[in-house]
DNA sequence: GTCTGTGAAGGTATTCACAGCC
DNA sequence: GGCTGTGAATACCTTCACAGAC
């Protein structure tokens, strides 16, 4: 914590997209009790080249020690700080079907920095029931406090997605993660990221087809 | 169908990543009975610039008509063909918890070109039970035929993911979509794409924090 | 006149390779 | 000696602007 530095470099988009992977690896290693890691080892784990990793990290500042490597906890703090995880973000999941339930109980979201604050569904049969120890509320209950950072997750069928997006925007949400297979139209000051599962399959199919599997030596996961 | 052309241009990675979005919009419009569309309108719907869209499409070949636009059905066929969706791909979903069930019943995957052929779980309590009209089988049942293209989806907890990946590789799967929040290690001829929900939230948090919301005029969804 | 297809220009990201510091 | 941080070189992607086809 306490990144009271100047923090004045523009972090490139491509770098931002990779920071979560680095953070995950760092947290895993920290949990294992490891204290230091080299750019080579961290890059290997994250599935990128070590040069790319060092370039990425140097955009946040100079937190490594030459000849030694990076202190895992320190680096994890700085990466988390750069991502804006010092403040707490509230998450509203809209659509409490299988997918919404899965996202709620799934370990990936209730992670440091994010608080699943609202589970929303308008079906009166599920409102009031429990999912993972949280109560499902109707849309009207989504009333962020002034200044509260809210991320809305759309887990409804495609047919309802645009309408949900509109209501999220009206409620003041400026960041949306869309799991429905539709393109959303929102005002320019609202950002949308879409997770398109069919698209992911199609991209895999393309690559296997063209056996464009020329990849890093021992291939690791890659994002985007 | 019948893309017996030469089809000899290298399609850039960035383009491949966008083709699924175009295909989705084209299919939506085709379902609405629309016959033609301009690069401007298609780009608007897909959330990209029209120049980018035309460059992307021209990498597949020259399927538009100057002064007129694109024939929606023809173009959709060619995009699908480029993505390798002429042949049928088999999908195996491993892990039949909430997430696996959601992915199975979710409309996004049982789409043209993909056949959810195996629902896999090793918990004897769920093996034999039904999800969306399909029976859950144990891992041993995953026996692809020679030449069959299989995509494995990992929907297990993070702790089991690497082990599942290993077993998929042994079974001959060369394309994996990983929903577990872990980095997987696989041989170089196996490709992995990871859907990292925590990562998506973190990227949204970063962008809202830095209000890097300078975007296209009427912003649409953007992938990656 | 309209709208696609595409060279050329401009911008971003990645890789290389080594200087700088422990 | 070892490993980070970074300019320089390269590769890739996007935007511009217009020639070419209808």
């Amino acid at each position: 914590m306490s990144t009271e530095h100047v923090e004045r470099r523009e972090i490139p988009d491509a770098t931002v997209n990779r920071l979560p992977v680095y953070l995950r690896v760092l947290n895993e290693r920290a949990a294992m009790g490891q204290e230091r890691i080299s750019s080579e080892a961290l890059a290997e784990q994250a599935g990128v080249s070590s040069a790319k990793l060092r370039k990425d990290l140097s955009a946040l500042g100079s937190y490594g020690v030459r000849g030694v490597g990076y202190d895992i906890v320190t680096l994890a703090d700085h990466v988390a700080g750069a991502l804006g995880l010092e403040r707490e973000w509230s998450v509203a999941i809209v659509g409490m079907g299988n997918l919404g339930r899965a996202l709620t109980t799934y370990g990936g979201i209730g992670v440091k920095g994010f608080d699943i604050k609202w589970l929303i569904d308008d079906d009166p049969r599920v409102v009031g029931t429990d999912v993972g120890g949280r109560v499902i509320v109707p849309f009207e209950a989504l009333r962020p406090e002034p200044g509260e950072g809210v991320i809305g997750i759309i887990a409804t069928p495609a047919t309802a997605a645009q309408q949900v997006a509109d209501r999220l925007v009206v409620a003041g949400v400026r960041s949306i993660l869309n799991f429905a297979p539709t393109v959303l139209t929102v005002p320019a000051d609202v950002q949308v990221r879409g997770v398109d599962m069919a698209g992911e399959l199609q991209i895999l199919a393309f690559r296997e087809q063209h056996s464009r599997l020329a990849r890093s030596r021992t291939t690791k996961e890659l994002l985007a």
Side-chain angles (χ1 to χ4, degrees), chain A:
Chain A
M1 58 212 70
S2 80
T3 317
E4 301 300 75
H5 303 337
V6 200
E7 196 86 29
R8 271 312 75 186
R9 298 166 196 240
E10 255 328 283
I11 303 178
D13 261 1
T15 295
V16 173
N17 292 336
R18 284 186 293 264
L19 289 181
V21 187
Y22 304 154
L23 184 56
R24 191 158 75 184
V25 175
L26 289 170
N27 285 338
E28 277 173 16
R29 293 308 181 101
M32 292 162 77
Q34 190 177 333
E35 290 186 356
R36 276 185 322 213
I37 194 164
S38 69
S39 66
E40 193 65 48
L42 180 48
E44 162 88 10
Q45 276 298 304
V48 301
S49 73
S50 66
K52 194 190 274 185
L53 178 112
R54 288 198 302 276
K55 256 273 153 65
D56 283 345
L57 294 186
S58 75
L60 313 183
S62 192
Y63 302 122
V65 181
R66 289 165 200 236
V68 177
Y70 300 91
D71 177 86
I72 289 180
V73 172
T74 307
L75 185 56
D77 275 356
H78 283 294
V79 173
L83 282 169
L85 305 183
E86 285 160 348
R87 60 183 286 199
E88 187 85 356
W89 296 84
S90 301
V91 174
I93 302 180
V94 185
M96 279 295 124
N98 272 323
L99 183 57
R101 285 163 203 272
L103 295 175
T104 305
T105 54
Y106 166 78
I109 288 185
V111 79
K112 178 175 168 270
F114 298 94
D115 173 33
I116 302 180
K117 192 168 168 187
W118 297 281
L119 300 183
I120 297 175
D121 203 304
D122 266 351
D123 183 340
R125 288 170 299 184
V126 301
V127 169
T129 63
D130 250 55
V131 173
R134 270 173 271 254
V135 177
I136 298 177
V137 298
F139 211 108
E140 295 74 49
L142 176 59
R143 293 250 179 279
E145 293 163 28
E148 183 175 8
V150 181
I151 298 177
I153 299 184
I154 298 179
T156 63
T159 46
Q162 181 62 54
Q163 189 187 340
V164 168
D166 295 342
R167 297 180 76 179
L168 286 172
V169 170
V170 169
V173 175
R174 302 210 314 156
S175 297
I176 295 175
L177 182 55
N178 179 31
F179 283 88
T182 335
V183 180
L184 300 177
T185 306
V186 296
D189 65 336
V190 176
Q191 60 173 336
V192 177
R193 284 183 71 86
V195 175
D196 176 5
M197 311 193 210
E200 295 293 327
L201 292 183
Q202 289 167 354
I203 293 167
L204 284 169
F206 174 90
R207 297 231 175 101
E208 181 164 337
Q209 178 105 329
H210 297 248
S211 277
R212 196 185 273 183
L213 297 183
R215 295 282 254 292
S216 32
R217 299 132 305 187
T218 300
T219 308
K220 308 284 171 126
E221 177 172 318
L222 58 92
L223 279 278

